Amino acid sequence: MEFSTKYIAPGSSKSGCAVVGVFESRKLSAPAAALDRSAKGFLSKVVKSGDMEGRAGTSVMLHQVPGTACERVLLVGLGPEKSFNEKAYRNAVGAALRAINATGAADAELHLTAIAAGKSDIVWRVAQAAALAIESVYRFEQMKSKPEAPAPSLKRLLLAHGSTGERKAAERGLEQGLALGHGISLAKDLGNLPGNVCTPTYLAGQARDLAKRYRMKLTVLETADMKKLGMGSLLSVARGSAEAPKLIVLEYNGGPKGAKPVALVGKGVTFDTGGISLKPGGEMDEMKFDMSGAGSVLGTLKAVGEMRLPVNVVGIIPATENMPGSRATKPGDIVKSMSGQTVEILNTDAEGRLILCDALTYAERYQPSAVIDIATLTGACVIALGHVVCGLFSNDDDLAHEVLAAGETALDRAWHMPLHEEYQEQLKSNFADFANIGGRPAGAVTAACYLSRFTKNFKWVHLDVAGTAWKSGKEKGSTGRPVPLLTQFLIGRVKHK
Ligand code: BES
Ligand code: MN
Ligand code: ZN
């Protein structure tokens, strides 16, 4: 899809569809009122007829509106003006995109971007609209022999700003939104690919493509390298699989030389059978999404690279399958992590923490200013928080709040979870330094407690995205989350310094 942003009078260009908003009850937004004046009161008449009350989620398509150059005018309900905040804006843009994609319109001009929404500015509104538009036409059809659904009609989208003075800001928003949309699409593609295609080797190849395209530095550690480093915990997960594990390290240095990087550590279990502690068969196919943390790291690096964001970021991805096999790790086995701490593996299905701990220790060598790990870590987090927010755990309150705030701005939210000392007791082992599981109570917390034993030397946030990284059921597929949160966090880091 092609995008542009400029200031134009609504309905004055020969587009397939001009989109303007109506507040509840029957109040034209400023762009709608402007169009209404060129149309000699046509929109006022429609609204008075009762066909558009302005309720959120509703829309009305009008054809050949007098006094306009566009083929169609789409009226979108915005809900009450008082409560028209960021979330309502996103919903309205989403409804508009759905309505346009249901017609044959190949191009459209969106004027919702010109309406004040909550505390948002034009950068945010244009960025959100661009990213949403890319999401609205996202399809995953690379594994089908021929495309199934008809291709979306929308080919060109103009995101209008409300005055000429906003041009620069709107252009910046467009650049950010496109980069974000492309990052989300990459994360979705990687998540949606099946485990027999998206292997650790495949992820390393994807990282290589990013490195080439955006001038990043790639290092891929093989089994032998990991052995040398003493990554006994990571390697214990790979033992049951014929696929070679990889530790993928992708460095993006867009910021000042020598500035400490943010490290993003993503769980890359390309398929999680549970290992010897085998999972039940139902819905096991969904464990192809167990590399979503890794996918979000690559998606975020793509977004950051495309934006040419002046920050330093290092992405670290421990990638492996978790399989049963004659050499596979068994419950009760004890391994030594790179940190020197020993772990009794009581359940081979708690493998995410086993690969992350060595990746976190490896992150120390970058003296990171902050470390964020992203992992589809526990079913318990899905029980605690459902599919709305991800779980956030941290050893640093300031960093926690910075990440939470990024999630709010991006509308890709996280919720602060506890990490009190008392929970650590559940990890006691009679035979090793500690165990890799802490029993049923507070399963998401004890998983974070396990990781906290490897993050003493830096500021750290752990995001458990087990409930938010993909959808089950009819809409089964990757969501691309938390690429919006992570990208927003890094954008925020630019203004910081
Ligand atoms: N990848 C799973 C977590 C998961 C489960 C995500 C269901 C989404 C839906 C993880 O590796 C896992 O198996 N965790 C175990 C931990 C347990 C053995 C302590 C779990 O949550 O059951
Ligand atoms: Mn598991
Ligand atoms: Zn897993």
Side-chain angles (χ1 to χ4, degrees), residues 371-373 392-396 399-400 403 459-463:
V371 178
I372 304 178
D373 81 68
L392 179 149
F393 304 80
S394 180
N395 62 6
D396 184 275
L399 180 63
V403 176
K459 296 177 180 175
W460 160 73
V461 156
H462 158 57
L463 298 176

Side-chain angles (χ1 to χ4, degrees), residues 60-82:
V60 175
M61 189 68 83
L62 308 171
H63 292 259
Q64 284 150 3
V65 174
T68 64
C70 53
E71 274 174 58
R72 307 173 183 79
V73 171
L74 179 68
L75 299 181
V76 178
L78 304 174
E81 189 167 11
K82 272 206 314 293

Side-chain angles (χ1 to χ4, degrees), residues 133-155:
I134 291 174
E135 289 211 64
S136 80
V137 297
Y138 176 85
R139 301 280 187 281
F140 182 77
E141 292 187 329
Q142 37 179 308
M143 305 304 293
K144 306 231 187 216
S145 55
K146 46 185 180 300
E148 235 166 39
S153 61
L154 195 58
K155 298 281 180 300

Side-chain angles (χ1 to χ4, degrees), residues 267 269 272-275 279 287 290 322 347-352 376-377:
K267 173 179 173 182
V269 174
D272 181 11
T273 65
K279 286 183 181 297
M287 283 302 127
D290 211 19
N322 185 23
N347 189 321
T348 63
D349 197 11
E351 85 296 342
T376 48
L377 205 61

